[in-house]
Amino acid sequence: MSDTQEPSLDEQIAAYQREFRDLDPQVEKVVSALGRLNRRMNVAYGRQVAELGISNAEWEVLKHLVLSGAPYRLGPGELAKRLGLTPAAMTHRIDRMATDGLVTRDRDENNRVRVIVELTDEGRTKWLEAMRMATAFEEDLLQDLSSEERGALGEMLIRLLRRVEHAQPDAGGRLKDLD
Amino acid sequence: MSDTQEPSLDEQIAAYQREFRDLDPQVEKVVSALGRLNRRMNVAYGRQVAELGISNAEWEVLKHLVLSGAPYRLGPGELAKRLGLTPAAMTHRIDRMATDGLVTRDRDENNRVRVIVELTDEGRTKWLEAMRMATAFEEDLLQDLSSEERGALGEMLIRLLRRVEHAQPDAGGRLKDLD
DNA sequence: CCTGAAGACTTCAATACTAAAGTTCGATGC
DNA sequence: GCATCGAACTTTAGTATTGAAGTCTTCAGG
């Protein structure tokens, strides 16, 4: 008995409205759906890459190295910035990935303060396999949307993205107007 | 100064296409925008609730307690399930929140195996303040979209959500709070 | 009753992250 | 050419989370 289960999106929004009068249901619907969708997608990605013996965290690193283009090298600091981690966390993550053979870590001979993290062949292969699984999943995910809908969706998301990105500098309050 | 900076979305997709031939740019655009948007939003939420002296993690707990409706009570196990945490993590989180006065933790007198976590007035106030900040932020975020667009966006996101939920017939998915 | 089993949480050991202090190398000023 | 500053990374200490083992309560059977 008493098996309370997670409320559906609509139930959730209705509950919020009971507790918080001036809530715009339309806005809340978009935001809540975004959040839930992302959580579920991350779970799905995590399960998939786990089959390759890597974690989502490691896959993120592989992605950024590949994105940097051949010869697939980046410094720990740059990686940390892109992944939103502290440099300390990056150090440890690279440690693990290096012992797992996904990347190498070497001092830059031209500037011995710097470190170069480079993708190994094994790392690149893992990335490719992960990418194949991910794209299959993503195709599946979007299969109900027509090409026009996909375009419209992508375009709207990018507009939202622009809003948040331009808002970052100000640590405090509301988003500033863009031009 | 080799100041490599994070690639724009379009640059990122172009880079992926160079490395992975059969990539549907339209699909990738939607998926990448979703991921980035969510990350940025979580950072923004985190900064906001930090002003109230709480973390995103704690705010999540407050949200689920409020969602359960008066008298705002849930068991640790149920909370853990909804938040995608292990029961162990939930125990510790509740510890901290209880010492901070956001919730109380008591044994259920009718069934002394069970524990009841209940929102305090202070917890409810924090939730309300966080909610006010969050909804203001969300309004700003969506300000470029017309009501029709918001409706269409929400509707498409929900279709995607149904797909993920259907595709993942609850194989016990655990997920971290943020990122 | 008494025992065994299952459920709900907690404890313990190990992992991953953050913040802050520490290290090392390179550049700048005198 | 020496000292100092700053940049880039690592180390350390402390916190959050996980998985596994442990505790306590309830319930079902004999």
Side-chain angles (χ1 to χ4, degrees):
Chain A
M1 57 168 274
S2 79
D3 201 3
T4 338
Q5 62 176 238
E6 171 154 29
S8 75
L9 251 199
D10 287 333
E11 287 166 354
Q12 174 173 321
I13 291 167
Y16 273 143
Q17 282 189 293
R18 278 195 295 279
E19 304 291 334
F20 188 79
R21 289 295 172 76
D22 36 340
L23 182 76
D24 182 334
Q26 208 177 32
V27 170
E28 190 57 30
K29 194 160 189 163
V30 168
V31 171
S32 299
L34 264 176
R36 263 200 208 193
L37 180 57
N38 234 80
R39 290 171 68 101
R40 304 279 149 86
M41 286 176 67
N42 282 333
V43 172
Y45 286 132
R47 288 210 193 111
Q48 286 194 314
V49 299
E51 292 174 23
L52 303 175
I54 63 176
S55 67
N56 256 340
E58 289 163 329
W59 188 36
E60 290 298 318
V61 177
L62 298 182
K63 281 199 273 194
H64 282 276
L65 284 171
V66 170
L67 276 177
S68 75
Y72 311 119
R73 289 178 187 160
L74 284 175
E78 182 61 27
L79 276 169
K81 203 164 48 177
R82 296 192 188 190
L83 292 166
L85 296 177
T86 60
M90 209 58 239
T91 294
H92 296 312
R93 207 182 262 194
I94 292 167
D95 281 348
R96 284 172 254 138
M97 295 182 69
T99 56
D100 288 353
L102 299 171
V103 300
T104 57
R105 188 220 312 256
D106 292 297
R107 294 228 157 247
D108 183 340
E109 285 306 328
N110 299 16
N111 180 341
R112 299 188 47 72
V113 179
R114 287 173 180 273
V115 168
I116 297 177
V117 178
E118 180 172 336
L119 201 58
T120 62
D121 285 346
E122 184 187 344
R124 198 171 185 295
T125 304
K126 288 283 186 195
W127 172 80
L128 191 61
E129 290 169 1
M131 202 66 183
R132 272 201 272 265
M133 295 195 304
T135 51
F137 165 67
E138 291 159 3
E139 263 307 337
D140 201 52
L141 184 69
L142 295 191
Q143 74 183 261
D144 291 338
L145 301 187
S146 68
S147 181
E148 292 73 29
E149 287 176 317
R150 294 175 188 196
L153 177 57
E155 188 269 334
M156 283 193 278
L157 291 175
I158 283 168
R159 270 198 275 164
L160 299 189
L161 195 52
R162 264 201 285 273
R163 275 254 161 240
V164 229
E165 288 181 340
H166 287 246
Q168 292 306 318
D170 190 356
R174 325 216 347 159
L175 300 186
K176 298 174 182 168
D177 274 351
L178 321 170
D179 25 303
Chain B
M1 297 186 70
S2 57
D3 197 6
T4 340
Q5 61 177 278
E6 171 155 30
S8 75
L9 251 200
D10 286 332
E11 287 166 354
Q12 174 173 323
I13 291 167
Y16 273 142
Q17 282 188 291
R18 278 194 295 277
E19 304 291 335
F20 188 78
R21 287 296 172 74
D22 38 338
L23 182 76
D24 182 334
Q26 207 177 34
V27 170
E28 190 56 30
K29 194 160 190 165
V30 168
V31 171
S32 299
L34 264 176
R36 263 199 209 193
L37 181 56
N38 236 81
R39 283 176 69 101
R40 304 281 149 86
M41 285 176 67
N42 282 332
V43 170
Y45 285 132
R47 280 212 268 258
Q48 286 196 316
V49 298
E51 294 175 21
L52 303 175
I54 63 176
S55 67
N56 255 339
E58 288 164 329
W59 188 36
E60 289 300 317
V61 177
L62 297 182
K63 280 198 274 196
H64 282 275
L65 284 170
V66 170
L67 276 176
S68 75
Y72 311 121
R73 289 179 187 158
L74 285 174
E78 182 60 27
L79 275 170
K81 203 164 48 180
R82 296 192 188 190
L83 291 167
L85 295 178
T86 60
M90 207 60 239
T91 293
H92 297 312
R93 204 127 125 182
I94 292 167
D95 282 347
R96 297 188 295 269
M97 294 181 70
T99 54
D100 288 353
L102 299 171
V103 301
T104 57
R105 186 219 313 256
D106 293 296
R107 293 219 98 90
D108 183 341
E109 284 307 327
N110 299 13
N111 181 340
R112 299 190 44 72
V113 180
R114 287 171 179 274
V115 167
I116 297 177
V117 178
E118 182 172 335
L119 201 58
T120 61
D121 285 346
E122 185 188 343
R124 196 169 188 294
T125 303
K126 288 282 186 197
W127 172 81
L128 191 61
E129 290 169 1
M131 202 65 183
R132 272 201 272 263
M133 295 195 304
T135 52
F137 164 68
E138 291 159 3
E139 267 303 341
D140 281 346
L141 184 69
L142 295 192
Q143 73 184 254
D144 292 337
L145 301 188
S146 69
S147 182
E148 291 74 28
E149 287 176 318
R150 295 177 187 194
L153 177 56
E155 187 270 333
M156 284 193 276
L157 291 174
I158 283 169
R159 269 199 274 165
L160 299 189
L161 197 50
R162 263 201 286 273
R163 270 266 153 230
V164 207
E165 289 180 342
H166 229 263
Q168 302 295 328
D170 201 337
R174 287 266 127 92
L175 172 79
K176 298 189 162 196
D177 267 11
L178 306 184
D179 98 87

